[in-house]
Amino acid sequence: TASQTITLIGLGPMGQAMTSALLSDGRSVTVWNRTAARADQVVAAGATLADTPAEAVAAGDVIILSLTDYQAMYDILGDATAGLAGKTLVNLSSDSPERTREAARWATDHGANFVTGGVMVPAPMVGTDLAYIYFSGPGETFEAIRDVLEVLGRARYLGSDPGLAQLMYQAHLDIFLGTLSSLMHATALVGSAGISARDFLVDALPFVGAIPAMVGDGGPEEVGALIDADLHPGHLSTATMMGATADHIVQASEAAGIDTGYPAAVARHYARAIADGHGSANWTAIIEGIRDPQP
Ligand code: NDP
């Protein structure tokens, strides 16, 4: 509720953006950061700088953490655990789902409520209409602080398993980082024949945006429902056809003398689907081999 006091620990670009959004919403915010100078801007904007992590913990009903990883939370709060009972910790730092589950047990052992989240937009977009954040953890804890969290971005609650928010975050980053690597690989590929990155990206970046319409006629719901039912119908983009293309990309990369790790991984998905007898199925059949990898 609006009467809840807020502490924000971790003032990298993300933590600073969150503090600014909370201050703009009229909330009072206590902050702490290992490197105190990083608090200068938010203090000038009205935040209160705590001298120690223990003081920061004492000042907030809701303690939001925005750190490089979960180890940083233990480093910072390790000497302040006595003050955690009854507090609600919201850790928005990146880490593996298993680390976040372990942290939820740690927080519970110290009498704190624990919610974990994954911020899905870059720092400058925090607090705007475009911002959204996945959360997981106990539903009643989440609902009790929902209005605070909504200041940072639209809150999407996934369920009580604390690992879910980071799993969802990483699934999106899986797509993002894969796309970025394929963009640079493709740029290097055409670059080997003298096509500039500038000329290539003028065509290739809009192509990325056209991909959703190519994934399936019925949109994500229809494609997803078929995959959920283990059905891979379709004859326009079969695993055999896509696999041949994947092999051609590997061959072209070899000929160009550039790294083949990325296209080889892609080609492996299709080779496996074909070997398992899914060659005439839709390309989505590659998920079967991804789910059940061979050594
Ligand atoms: P930074 O790496 O810039 O900031 C990290 C913060 O963690 C700093 O406050 C740093 O303190 C602190 N920190 C790291 N290790 C320790 C430690 N051992 N002890 C004490 N403090 C520590 O990250 P961002 O602000 O960019 O991001 C924060 C989180 O948000 C990350 O998990 C990131 O994945 C996630 N995120 C970030 C996005 C972005 O656009 N930046 C987008 C989506 C998610 P100090 O200042 O003293 O170094």
Side-chain angles (χ1 to χ4, degrees), residues 71-84:
Q71 186 54 47
M73 174 183 76
Y74 298 117
D75 292 349
I76 294 168
L77 296 184
D79 293 330
T81 52
L84 290 178

Side-chain angles (χ1 to χ4, degrees), residues 232 234-235 238-240 277-282:
H232 306 288
H235 60 277
T238 64
T240 297
H278 304 310
S280 57
N282 191 43

Side-chain angles (χ1 to χ4, degrees), residues 9-18 32-39 65-77 91-95 117-126 166 169 173:
I9 295 177
L11 295 171
M14 184 52 84
Q16 294 196 30
M18 290 179 178
W32 186 85
N33 194 59
R34 180 179 58 182
T35 308
R38 274 183 127 174
L65 299 137
S66 178
L67 303 162
T68 304
D69 56 20
Y70 269 55
Q71 186 54 47
M73 174 183 76
Y74 298 117
D75 292 349
I76 294 168
L77 296 184
N91 198 329
L92 300 177
S93 315
S94 176
D95 216 313
V119 184
M120 300 309 301
V121 294
M125 276 163 65
V126 164
Q166 282 305 311
Y169 177 78
L173 272 285

Side-chain angles (χ1 to χ4, degrees), residues 16-247:
Q16 294 196 30
M18 290 179 178
T19 306
S20 299
L22 291 163
L23 291 171
S24 298
D25 192 58
R27 314 220 174 212
S28 59
V29 186
T30 298
V31 296
W32 186 85
N33 194 59
R34 180 179 58 182
T35 308
R38 274 183 127 174
D40 288 353
Q41 254 181 308
V42 292
V43 166
T48 304
L49 178 63
D51 287 334
T52 62
E55 196 183 304
V57 166
D61 303 316
V62 182
I63 298 154
I64 300 173
L65 299 137
S66 178
L67 303 162
T68 304
D69 56 20
Y70 269 55
Q71 186 54 47
M73 174 183 76
Y74 298 117
D75 292 349
I76 294 168
L77 296 184
D79 293 330
T81 52
L84 290 178
K87 305 287 185 179
T88 296
L89 298 180
V90 183
N91 198 329
L92 300 177
S93 315
S94 176
D95 216 313
S96 68
E98 203 34 61
R99 285 285 274 168
T100 66
R101 293 181 183 117
E102 190 182 281
R105 291 190 288 270
W106 175 86
T108 306
D109 285 348
H110 291 291
N113 303 305
F114 192 79
V115 172
T116 169
V119 184
M120 300 309 301
V121 294
M125 276 163 65
V126 164
T128 70
D129 288 347
L130 295 171
Y132 65 105
I133 308 178
Y134 287 113
F135 290 99
S136 55
E140 59 280 18
T141 305
F142 169 76
E143 288 304 336
I145 58 167
R146 184 177 199 128
D147 68 319
V148 173
L149 303 176
E150 293 275 4
V151 174
L152 308 176
R154 265 172 302 129
R156 301 193 187 174
Y157 176 70
L158 294 168
S160 59
D161 170 3
L164 291 178
Q166 282 305 311
L167 195 64
M168 195 65 137
Y169 177 78
Q170 276 145 22
H172 284 75
L173 272 285
D174 187 359
I175 297 168
F176 185 52
L177 298 185
T179 304
L180 298 184
S181 278
S182 68
L183 271 172
M184 289 305 102
H185 186 271
T187 303
L189 181 62
V190 295
S192 72
I195 297 172
S196 72
R198 188 191 168 282
D199 285 350
F200 177 62
L201 290 176
V202 165
D203 281 348
L205 275 184
F207 178 75
V208 174
I211 290 174
M214 301 178 198
V215 166
D217 291 338
E221 288 179 18
E222 193 173 310
V223 175
L226 288 169
I227 295 168
D228 286 336
D230 293 325
L231 295 173
H232 306 288
H235 60 277
L236 294 175
S237 306
T238 64
T240 297
M241 182 278 277
M242 297 288 260
T245 301
D247 289 341

